Amino acid sequence: MARDWLSVKKPKPNPTSADANKDGIVLRSDDGRLFYWLRATRAGLWVQRDRWRHDSRARLVQSHVFCSNAAFARWCDADTVRFDYPIVFSKLQREGRALLNGHERPTNAAADHPAG
Amino acid sequence: MAMSVRPTLQQITQQADFLPDLAVIAERVTQASDSSEVTALLAEAACLAGADVAAFASFMQDDEFYESYRVILACDPLWCLAYENDACYMHDPWLTYARHHSEPVLAHRLPARTNKEIDVRALASEFGFVSALIVPSQAPHGLTRLGALCIGSREPDYFDDPSLWKLTFGATALAMRLHEWEVAQLRSELLQTASLTPDDLTLLRHQLAGHKSKEVARAINTTAMAVDSHWQRLNSKLGVTSRLAAVRRAAEYGLI
């Protein structure tokens, strides 16, 4: 169980349609103190959370790859900023789920629904 | 049904391919195109070392007002949320060690001097870093930028083994590559966000060399007033209030 965090899938040799959206989705709060950057990658849903805290004059940028909707939902539920930034947070959950759902589709699904 | 026995660090490092495989992972970090690939490589390295979790943390004095901490997580990401909520970066004994030392160290050898440091250590332990190897990676020329690779195990004495030197040898190379990769990302990020031009970089290099406006003007065949005017625009682009701060920022981000 402990090694679940090390089970990030190795990138597949063939790029998928998800790679086309290299820059991903950026969500930001109105006050500019919270940013999320989401991107579907070959390994899963990559999320970078960037938070500026004026009280401790610090900025903490954390990045992680989520391989499942359950892991992403658990992380979202644990983040206390959801009370301070409900709109950004709601978008984060929606966009994250959508990218993960796209990622978890069978590989041949991309061929059924070509990008563009 | 036989229970699988987890290999010891000694058994893992005795394998002939251990160090070559770790070296290959370190080399692949330099070619990684994005953070997701680096996360996967970090996880792969920890797995190769028989560890349970890993993280690469970097620190930098962003400007006059902010310090920034960046963490790539191959572990339970809830750790970092709790770490941020409690502002653990202000009391992290591992980070404090990495600020002043370049030698890898076992986390349990680092004293926690205050209650807050004890709490930070307990939090790490709760999220899988019961025992840990800390591998610092520092920037040259006295910059504030630094990195720390943390490889953790749920077993309290996993790393207490005479063969640890093999892991520290490979992990040092990996920490350096991770740090270089991070700096390359920061450089690219700053170039993009500040829209810096080659002329801007020339000006920053002159300032780094201690040249005054008149000297710079002579060197680039313009007037001192034009140089001063260019500096105003450049400071604005970088979001700083002085030439010294601009040079500091550019150096921290690996631009000059």
Side-chain angles (χ1 to χ4, degrees):
Chain A
M1 189 66 184
R3 293 200 173 199
D4 283 357
W5 308 113
L6 304 186
S7 64
V8 174
K9 296 171 197 166
K10 289 181 196 174
K12 298 167 193 164
N14 297 322
T16 63
S17 58
D19 291 311
N21 189 11
K22 188 86 177 166
D23 293 330
I25 296 163
V26 177
L27 307 172
R28 71 186 67 197
S29 62
D30 287 340
D31 62 5
R33 292 183 194 175
L34 179 69
F35 293 82
Y36 289 100
W37 186 9
L38 294 85
R39 193 194 299 151
T41 72
R42 284 171 284 174
L45 170 66
W46 172 79
V47 179
Q48 182 168 293
R49 177 186 180 280
D50 186 346
R51 188 178 178 206
W52 299 68
R53 283 185 56 167
H54 285 305
D55 53 350
S56 51
R57 292 163 63 140
R59 172 189 180 193
L60 189 87
V61 184
Q62 48 182 296
S63 55
H64 184 70
V65 177
F66 296 93
C67 295
S68 71
N69 259 313
F72 177 62
R74 177 175 169 268
W75 181 71
C76 289
D77 289 345
D79 196 342
T80 52
V81 301
R82 69 184 187 278
F83 302 116
D84 301 321
Y85 301 97
I87 297 171
V88 179
F89 212 77
S90 158
K91 284 182 188 167
L92 166 74
Q93 289 176 302
R94 193 171 56 244
E95 299 289 358
R97 266 198 305 266
L99 288 172
L100 262 169
N101 288 339
H103 176 263
E104 286 174 350
R105 274 203 316 253
T107 317
N108 59 2
D112 294 334
H113 306 282
Chain B
M1 195 163 68
M3 279 180 62
S4 63
V5 178
R6 189 173 170 167
T8 63
L9 183 62
Q10 187 176 28
Q11 287 167 333
I12 285 171
T13 54
Q14 266 173 354
Q15 291 171 18
D17 287 340
F18 175 72
L19 276 177
D21 284 350
L22 204 49
V24 167
I25 292 173
E27 196 50 36
R28 281 165 57 204
V29 167
T30 60
Q31 295 152 14
S33 61
D34 61 38
S35 176
S36 68
E37 280 183 40
V38 174
T39 307
L41 289 168
L42 186 57
E44 207 178 318
C47 217
L48 181 70
D52 293 310
V53 285
F56 181 73
S58 57
F59 163 83
M60 190 168 63
Q61 184 76 44
D62 249 338
D63 54 34
E64 301 103 302
F65 309 106
Y66 271 91
E67 293 180 337
S68 68
Y69 302 83
R70 292 174 168 80
V71 193
I72 298 173
L73 299 159
C75 60
D76 188 340
L78 266 59
W79 171 46
C80 208
L81 291 179
Y83 185 91
E84 186 204 75
N85 275 341
D86 298 342
C88 290
Y89 37 80
M90 296 170 79
H91 314 280
D92 188 337
W94 299 355
L95 214 50
T96 303
Y97 176 82
R99 276 194 176 116
H100 304 290
H101 302 83
S102 55
E103 306 83 19
V105 69
L106 291 178
H108 68 74
R109 298 209 178 131
L110 299 177
R113 295 185 181 87
T114 63
N115 286 339
K116 288 197 170 175
E117 286 191 351
I118 291 169
D119 290 345
V120 174
R121 212 161 59 175
L123 184 70
S125 179
E126 188 186 328
F127 283 97
F129 293 89
V130 175
S131 60
L133 173 67
I134 313 299
V135 188
S137 158
Q138 289 167 342
H141 314 308
L143 297 174
T144 64
R145 198 176 69 216
L146 63 89
L149 170 62
C150 312
I151 303 176
S153 172
R154 289 192 184 275
E155 291 180 25
D157 52 358
Y158 179 73
F159 298 101
D160 289 299
D161 188 278
S163 66
L164 178 67
W165 70 270
K166 285 189 185 175
L167 176 58
T168 55
F169 185 77
T172 301
L174 179 63
M176 286 172 66
R177 292 289 182 267
L178 286 164
H179 194 181
E180 286 165 13
W181 181 86
E182 187 85 61
V183 173
Q185 298 301 305
L186 293 173
R187 188 166 48 231
S188 152
E189 184 185 298
L190 186 62
L191 277 171
Q192 224 172 4
T193 54
S195 307
L196 297 179
T197 64
D199 285 348
D200 294 336
L201 296 179
T202 302
L203 207 56
L204 287 163
R205 288 196 190 96
H206 276 294
Q207 179 66 31
L208 185 66
H211 298 160
K212 305 289 181 204
S213 292
K214 283 181 185 173
E215 293 170 272
V216 179
R218 269 198 302 273
I220 60 174
N221 201 22
T222 185
T223 64
M225 197 180 286
V227 170
D228 290 341
S229 171
H230 192 156
W231 263 115
Q232 283 185 352
R233 291 194 303 276
L234 181 51
N235 284 345
S236 169
K237 278 187 190 180
L238 288 169
V240 294
T241 52
S242 71
R243 297 181 186 195
L244 281 177
V247 165
R248 177 116 209 127
R249 185 129 208 246
E252 290 285 5
Y253 278 74
L255 280 172
I256 53 173

